[in-house]
Amino acid sequence: MSLQLEIEPLTLEPSSHREEFVETATALGARVCRDAIWSNGRCNWIGPAMELLGGRWRQVHRVFGSEFYGGTSGVAYSLAALYEATGERVFKKTALSAIRHALGTSDEIEGPTRLGLYSGWFGIALAALDIGQRLKDESLREPSFRLIEDLARATPDPINLDLLAGNAGAIIGFLMLREHSDDPDRLTECAIRFGDLLIEAAVKAETGWSWGELHKPESGAFGNLTGYSHGAAGIGSALLELYCVTGELRFREAGDAAFKYERHWFDPETGNWPDLRAPELSGAPKTDKPSYMNAWCHGAPGIALSRLRAYELLGCQACREEADTATKTTISNLDGNSEMSQMNYSLCHGQGGNCETLIYGAEILRKPELVERAEEVALHGIETYEKYKLSWPCGGPSMLETSSLMLGLAGIAYFYLRMADPQRTPSILIFKPRSEH
C-alpha cells in the first residue's frame, strides 16, 4: 500500500478581488482592535455566550478565555496575519498583547480540555509559534515550549476523543509541532500513544468504527457522531495523518473504519450525513429522525475536508467521490434557506467556513470554478454588510457580533484574507501536518 502522493493540487493564484478582500479584512480587524480591553500590556475581549444558569441555558456576556477556538490566541492569530498582509502596526501590537494574555492565562483551562487542538494548549502553542515567526518576536518561544513539554508528558484522555477538543486533535497538534521541535521523534511517539488510545476506545461494528457513548439508547441520540469537529470524519482524518507520518498500518485501517461508519449513515436524498445529536440538546423538538447541518462542525462541508485530505494523501478514489458529493451539497446550501450556517459568516458554522470547502476543493479536485463560487459569497457579504457598515452576523447566540476566531469577526477577517490569497493564507479549518513517507 503506497503512501505516495498521487495527485497534483491546483495552485490558486491571488484573487482578482484581492484589494477589496484585504480592505474588508482590514476593516473587520480594526473593529476587533477597537473593542479590545487593555490591562498591563495584555488585552482581552467580552462577547456573548450561552451558560447554564439556574437549570436553564441563558445568554450572557463574558470575557474570552485563552483557547484558539473562541479565545485570545485565535484572535491574535488572525491579527498577526492581518499585520503581515497590511503592515498596520495596530494589528501587530494587539496580536502580541492578545497572545501574551493567552500564554499567561493558559493554566486557567481545565485539565482534560488542555489536550484540545481548538480548545486547549495545542492551539495556543501553535498560534504563539506562528505569531512569533510572523512578527519576529522570539519571546513567544519559551512559554510555547513549556506548554509543549507539558503536553508531551500528558496522558491521553479516555473520554474526550474528537478533533476539536480531544485526542484526535492532540494527534494533529503533535504532528504539527514536530517542525518546531528539536526532538520531532518524541512528538511522533506522543501522537502514536494518542492514536492507540483511539483505536482502543473505538466502538467497533460491522458498519464501521465510531467513538463516544451516543450509540447507547439511554443517551437520547441517534448514534455516535458523524462530522469533522466532533465525529468520525475528524477522528478518521487524524488517524490517516498519523499513518502517513509513521507508516503504521493499524492507523490506516482505523481511519478507513471511521469513514466506513459515516458511509453507513450517508443519505443520498440530501447528499449529506446526519447530525446524530439528540435534538433537544440544541433546543429543537424531539423527533424520530436526525436532522442535517451544513457546516464545518457538522455535515457535508466539514466531512468534505476530511475526504479531500484523504484523497490528497492517499489517492483514495472512494474518498474523492465522497468529497465531490459533499462539495456539491455545500454549494447547494450556500444560500436560500433558514439554517444558521447560511445566515452568518463565521468559520465554525457559517458561510466563511463553508467556503473553505470550496477553496480546498478547487485545489484538490482541480476545479477553479469552486473558488469563483466562494468569491461570489465573499462579495455578497461585502455588498450586504461592509458597504453599509452594518454588524456582521456571527456564529454565537442570536448571531450577535463578537470578536472571536471561530465564531466572530477575527475569523471573518481571516476568511477574507484567505479569499484574497489562498496560497499565502493557510487554512485553519484543516491543519495539514507534513508527511515523511
Side-chain angles (χ1 to χ4, degrees):
M1 188 173 299
S2 172
L3 295 180
Q4 184 66 36
L5 181 68
E6 298 189 14
I7 65 164
E8 183 66 30
L10 180 68
T11 299
L12 300 180
E13 299 297 328
S15 172
S16 60
H17 302 282
R18 182 182 186 280
E19 184 176 344
E20 189 173 5
F21 290 158
V22 172
E23 182 179 334
T24 300
T26 301
L28 291 165
R31 293 194 199 186
V32 172
C33 294
R34 176 201 64 191
D35 293 339
I37 302 169
W38 291 81
S39 177
N40 297 322
R42 297 178 180 178
C43 65
N44 199 347
W45 288 262
I46 292 176
M50 299 298 292
E51 290 187 3
L52 191 62
L53 299 172
R56 291 178 56 192
W57 285 101
R58 301 175 187 269
Q59 184 174 307
V60 300
H61 277 71
R62 61 176 178 82
V63 295
F64 288 6
S66 56
E67 77 281 358
F68 193 72
Y69 182 97
T72 52
S73 61
V75 177
Y77 185 94
S78 176
L79 293 176
L82 271 166
Y83 172 73
E84 192 174 51
T86 67
E88 293 289 343
R89 287 181 294 176
V90 66
F91 296 143
K92 179 177 181 179
K93 177 183 177 181
T94 312
L96 288 172
S97 299
I99 196 62
R100 286 172 184 145
H101 169 273
L103 290 166
T105 59
S106 59
D107 284 345
E108 296 178 10
I109 296 177
E110 296 182 3
T113 313
R114 292 176 179 178
L115 299 178
L117 178 59
Y118 289 87
S119 68
W121 286 359
F122 282 105
I124 296 172
L126 285 167
L129 290 169
D130 183 88
I131 291 166
Q133 290 179 340
R134 287 177 187 264
L135 306 186
K136 298 179 173 57
D137 190 316
E138 290 293 320
S139 70
L140 301 179
R141 289 182 60 81
E142 183 180 345
S144 299
F145 279 103
R146 284 201 298 268
L147 290 181
I148 296 169
E149 184 60 30
D150 286 343
L151 287 166
R153 292 195 298 263
T155 301
D157 179 26
I159 297 175
N160 292 325
L161 304 172
D162 65 18
L163 183 81
L164 190 147
N167 289 354
I171 292 171
I172 299 297
F174 280 125
L175 297 182
M176 292 292 296
L177 288 167
R178 291 166 76 252
E179 63 184 83
H180 298 282
S181 174
D182 294 331
D183 190 3
D185 290 343
R186 182 188 181 206
L187 297 185
T188 301
E189 290 300 319
C190 292
I192 289 172
R193 191 167 74 247
F194 279 71
D196 282 333
L197 184 138
L198 283 177
I199 292 175
E200 181 182 344
V203 178
K204 303 175 178 71
E206 288 296 320
T207 54
W209 291 13
S210 63
W211 285 265
E213 298 187 348
L214 296 183
H215 63 292
K216 296 180 179 179
E218 61 268 26
S219 73
F222 296 96
N224 286 333
L225 298 183
T226 66
Y228 192 67
S229 70
H230 298 297
I235 295 172
S237 189
L239 290 164
L240 292 181
E241 295 283 2
L242 188 54
Y243 164 65
C244 289
V245 169
T246 66
E248 296 289 342
L249 188 59
R250 66 185 182 279
F251 299 125
R252 170 69 188 268
E253 292 171 343
D256 288 344
F259 290 178
K260 180 181 178 181
Y261 175 77
E262 292 192 321
R263 289 185 191 112
H264 165 73
W265 282 104
F266 176 71
D267 177 40
E269 184 176 345
T270 62
N272 205 349
W273 296 256
D275 178 354
L276 298 173
R277 294 174 294 177
E280 305 96 291
L281 292 178
S282 58
K286 185 175 182 180
T287 66
D288 294 329
K289 295 180 180 180
S291 60
Y292 293 84
M293 275 188 71
N294 286 278
W296 171 79
C297 49
H298 296 277
I303 288 174
L305 298 183
S306 72
R307 303 313 198 263
L308 288 165
R309 183 59 171 163
Y311 179 58
E312 180 182 11
L313 288 172
L314 303 168
C316 172
Q317 289 300 315
C319 290
R320 189 197 189 287
E321 292 171 6
E322 288 176 321
D324 193 55
T325 296
T327 301
K328 291 176 180 176
T329 300
T330 300
I331 292 171
S332 68
N333 285 276
L334 279 175
D335 50 32
N337 68 40
S338 60
E339 185 181 320
M340 185 181 182
S341 62
Q342 277 72 62
M343 299 172 66
N344 78 90
Y345 271 76
S346 73
L347 295 182
C348 181
H349 41 262
Q351 300 284 54
N354 289 359
C355 283
E356 176 59 39
T357 298
L358 307 189
I359 298 170
Y360 191 28
E363 292 178 321
I364 303 307
L365 302 177
R366 300 186 63 82
K367 294 183 176 181
E369 65 272 17
L370 295 178
V371 173
E372 295 172 7
R373 184 67 184 90
E375 287 184 338
E376 291 175 6
V377 173
L379 291 169
H380 178 74
I382 295 171
E383 183 66 26
T384 304
Y385 303 107
E386 192 56 37
K387 180 177 179 179
Y388 299 102
K389 303 303 177 186
L390 300 177
S391 294
W392 283 75
C394 294
S398 303
M399 293 187 288
L400 293 175
E401 197 169 272
T402 183
S403 294
S404 69
L405 183 69
M406 294 297 290
L407 296 179
L409 298 185
I412 300 172
Y414 196 86
F415 159 62
Y416 277 98
L417 288 181
R418 184 138 167 79
M419 290 303 311
D421 192 345
Q423 296 301 315
R424 186 177 180 181
T425 310
S427 175
I428 53 174
L429 296 183
I430 178 166
F431 290 95
K432 297 191 288 186
R434 293 180 181 175
S435 173
E436 293 186 350
H437 293 264

